[in-house]
Amino acid sequence: MDSGLVSNKPTYLHGQDGTGYAAFMPPPNRAERVSAPDRWRRLGPKVTICLGAISHFDRSIVLVSDRMLTVGNRTADNSTIKWYAIHGDWCAEFAGDAGIASTVLQRAIPLLDAKQPHTAVAVGEVMERAIADERASLMRAEYSFSTDQLNNLSPKEMRRLVRRIKWPCEFLVAGFDLDAYPQLLWLGSDGKARNCGSFGYWCVGSGAEIALASLARRGQNTQRFDTVTNMYHLLEARFAAAADPHVGRDETFAMVLRWRSFPTPILLYADLQQLKAMCAAQNQTYPTGALDLVRAMFERASTHAQQLPPPVVGPPVQ
């Protein structure tokens, strides 16, 4: 099928050339159209929390997420497992609009040869292309562009239109490179793949900042901890992230990935609730002697302040 692309003209949205790269369905014929800012605002925030951590000690990857689902501006908890296999060695978690995120992942699957292993760089490029294709498809539908019109936009105009779109998805892609080492990729709002392998962990979603702070407090990295310890750290961070109002507060999903092994899912509600209660109890208590030390510091500072000469009080300010 002819995509309508010009082979010698760069497709600025994708940053690549070639026919067939952006073959989309024709835009709908709608007499009344919603303005782009209003339409994209209805897609909602990147709700949920998804976390991943690598253990080079065990050559494993642990993935954890809540079970909150969002489509458009509709949200429901305990609704889905946000884990998506895109290749025998690679999978993805997503935060944000599940309808758009699943379409992006469906675009990526046929671009990864199921019979061949793939490097992290190659998987990142495939995900970037899938995101760019879906973003362009949505832009075509919104602005009633044909493929030729989209290709003929100047880079400046393309960037202006892209900035008007609040891209509603983030992805955490996990898998194993050609040497069987675990890899972790993050694709944020700009659609660019970033390798988090040297960092050893990452989080996406509205509760990501809280979860990242929890993991940093634990000194999380790729070399220090085994699979079980990584699992605890991620679950602890997931429970902490529930302080964000857009993160699911009830059920939790966890999975352990190993090279060419069947994934190990963990969805035991009673056990996870028990662990959640233990983490909450720990957060409500203080280390032994900590409050006494702070109280002593405050009393010494107060005593010192009382020994200082009284401040000079000037005339009232008019």
Side-chain angles (χ1 to χ4, degrees):
M1 181 180 69
D2 184 10
S3 66
L5 293 174
V6 181
S7 60
N8 62 353
K9 182 178 179 60
T11 54
Y12 296 107
L13 184 64
H14 305 138
Q16 294 188 12
D17 299 324
T19 58
Y21 188 67
F24 307 114
M25 296 296 291
N29 182 15
R30 291 184 287 178
E32 296 182 0
R33 309 191 63 81
V34 180
S35 65
D38 291 339
R39 178 177 185 271
W40 287 102
R41 193 176 296 117
R42 293 205 305 269
L43 292 175
K46 301 182 184 69
V47 304
T48 199
I49 183 66
C50 299
L51 314 90
I54 292 171
S55 172
H56 283 304
F57 183 80
D58 289 339
R59 290 201 178 190
S60 67
I61 306 171
V62 179
L63 300 175
V64 171
S65 70
D66 64 359
R67 297 193 61 209
M68 179 173 282
L69 176 69
T70 298
V71 177
N73 61 353
R74 300 292 185 267
T75 300
D77 204 356
N78 303 336
S79 299
T80 189
I81 294 175
K82 295 187 287 288
W83 179 86
Y84 210 110
I86 59 175
H87 183 267
D89 297 331
W90 294 88
C91 64
E93 291 184 304
F94 60 86
D97 192 301
I100 295 176
S102 60
T103 304
V104 169
L105 296 173
Q106 290 169 26
R107 289 181 182 276
I109 290 174
L111 302 177
L112 293 169
D113 188 347
K115 298 180 180 180
Q116 299 293 331
H118 299 279
T119 65
V121 173
V123 174
E125 290 175 348
V126 164
M127 285 296 299
E128 288 178 353
R129 173 175 172 176
I131 290 173
D133 283 352
E134 181 62 16
R135 194 193 298 264
S137 179
L138 293 169
M139 287 178 60
R140 279 170 48 91
E142 178 57 37
Y143 299 110
S144 296
F145 284 149
S146 66
T147 305
D148 288 338
Q149 289 174 324
L150 189 65
N151 287 335
N152 289 329
L153 291 175
S154 67
K156 181 179 180 180
E157 179 66 10
M158 179 66 74
R159 287 193 294 269
R160 186 185 70 82
L161 294 177
V162 168
R163 281 196 297 267
R164 295 182 66 186
I165 297 176
K166 181 182 178 182
W167 179 246
C169 301
E170 286 185 285
F171 297 90
L172 200 60
V173 180
F176 296 87
D177 219 327
L178 301 182
D179 56 1
Y181 260 84
Q183 300 285 342
L184 198 62
L185 305 176
W186 166 45
L187 292 101
S189 299
D190 60 358
K192 300 299 182 182
R194 294 170 174 83
N195 195 313
C196 302
S198 57
F199 211 60
Y201 64 92
W202 200 250
C203 311
V204 297
S206 59
E209 297 300 328
I210 301 174
L212 288 169
S214 175
L215 293 170
R217 183 177 65 87
R218 287 291 185 182
Q220 182 70 33
N221 63 48
T222 61
Q223 305 293 339
R224 292 179 58 188
F225 304 112
D226 60 7
T227 302
V228 172
T229 307
N230 277 351
M231 175 75 75
Y232 174 79
H233 288 174
L234 291 187
L235 288 171
E236 181 184 50
R238 178 265 179 273
F239 298 144
D244 187 287
H246 298 297
V247 171
R249 298 174 181 273
D250 197 4
E251 295 183 6
T252 299
F253 174 76
M255 177 171 284
V256 178
L257 306 175
R258 289 187 172 87
W259 169 251
R260 300 291 168 87
S261 299
F262 193 80
T264 306
I266 300 173
L267 190 61
L268 301 176
Y269 182 77
D271 291 345
L272 289 172
Q273 287 298 99
Q274 181 181 358
L275 181 61
K276 182 178 180 180
M278 294 170 64
C279 291
Q282 177 184 351
N283 293 335
Q284 293 171 1
T285 61
Y286 303 96
T288 303
L291 289 180
D292 292 336
L293 178 58
V294 174
R295 186 176 294 108
M297 293 166 54
F298 175 72
E299 290 175 352
R300 285 197 298 269
S302 299
T303 301
H304 177 69
Q306 292 173 2
Q307 296 172 355
L308 296 175
V312 177
V313 180
V317 178
Q318 299 298 328

